[in-house]
């Protein structure tokens, strides 16, 4: 039963991760960017990523398949590497969002510099694209060995 509960939680938080990343993408394409809201959504993205990681570790340690299954599974390691890459890529937008919020707090009308906005959109887009092979690794991992 614990394995089922962990699997359900893991999937729910992964969907939450996808949703918050999609929200960031939409917010970055809006006519007026709200840095305070971006920081809030980005914080939710980070918290959700930490929950995905924590539940994932719990699945490895206490789940039904056991550590041996994961240790020998190349798709597991691919999934871990892609998750880490997404996490590292998310640092750039996070720092921009904080800088934008600080600048916007000065009381004057704020529009992010075009170059920074484009960079943030690119980073968030690459993060979203990396979710595709991550999810493919998850599906392959569950069926390994073929």
């Amino acid at each position: 039963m614990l394995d089922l509960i962990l699997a359900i939680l893991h999937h729910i938080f992964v969907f939450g991760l996808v949703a918050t990343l999609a929200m960031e993408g939409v917010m970055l394409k809006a006519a007026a960017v709200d840095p305070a809201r971006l920081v809030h959504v980005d914080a939710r993205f980070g918290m959700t990523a930490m929950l995905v990681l924590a539940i994932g570790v719990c699945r490895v340690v206490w789940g039904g398949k056991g550590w041996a299954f994961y240790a020998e599974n190349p798709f597991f390691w691919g999934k871990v590497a892609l998750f880490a890459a997404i996490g590292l890529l998310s640092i750039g937008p996070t720092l921009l969002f904080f800088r934008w919020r600080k600048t916007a707090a000065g009381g004057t009308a704020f529009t992010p510099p075009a170059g920074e906005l484009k960079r943030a959109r690119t980073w968030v887009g690459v993060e979203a694209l990396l979710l595709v092979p991550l999810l493919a690794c998850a599906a392959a991992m569950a069926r390994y060995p073929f």
Side-chain angles (χ1 to χ4, degrees):
M1 187 61 148
L2 177 61
D3 187 53
L4 175 62
I5 291 168
L6 291 173
I8 291 168
L9 289 174
H10 193 67
H11 286 90
I12 288 170
F13 290 126
V14 168
F15 284 121
L17 195 69
V18 171
T20 55
L21 190 59
M23 287 173 63
E24 283 187 14
V26 168
M27 291 172 72
L28 287 168
K29 291 181 182 178
V33 174
D34 182 348
R37 286 190 65 211
L38 271 170
V39 167
H40 179 75
V41 171
D42 194 59
R44 287 181 182 254
F45 176 77
M47 289 186 300
T48 305
M50 296 309 295
L51 288 167
V52 168
L53 181 62
I55 297 297
V57 168
C58 289
R59 289 187 75 188
V60 168
V61 174
W62 296 299
K65 293 184 179 181
W67 169 247
F69 170 80
Y70 294 100
E72 299 297 323
N73 192 318
F75 297 105
F76 169 74
W77 294 110
K79 189 172 140 179
V80 168
L82 287 161
F83 190 80
I86 292 168
L88 290 172
L89 283 170
S90 74
I91 294 170
T94 297
L95 295 175
L96 282 175
F97 301 160
F98 277 113
R99 188 172 340 123
W100 295 349
R101 182 179 69 176
K102 183 178 179 182
T103 303
T108 59
F110 173 76
T111 302
E116 289 181 3
L117 186 57
K118 182 178 179 182
R119 191 166 57 239
R121 286 177 182 153
T122 299
W123 279 330
V124 169
V126 171
E127 290 174 54
L129 282 175
L130 288 177
L131 286 172
V132 174
L134 187 147
L135 294 172
C137 281
M141 181 187 82
R143 288 151 183 80
Y144 184 81
F146 303 114

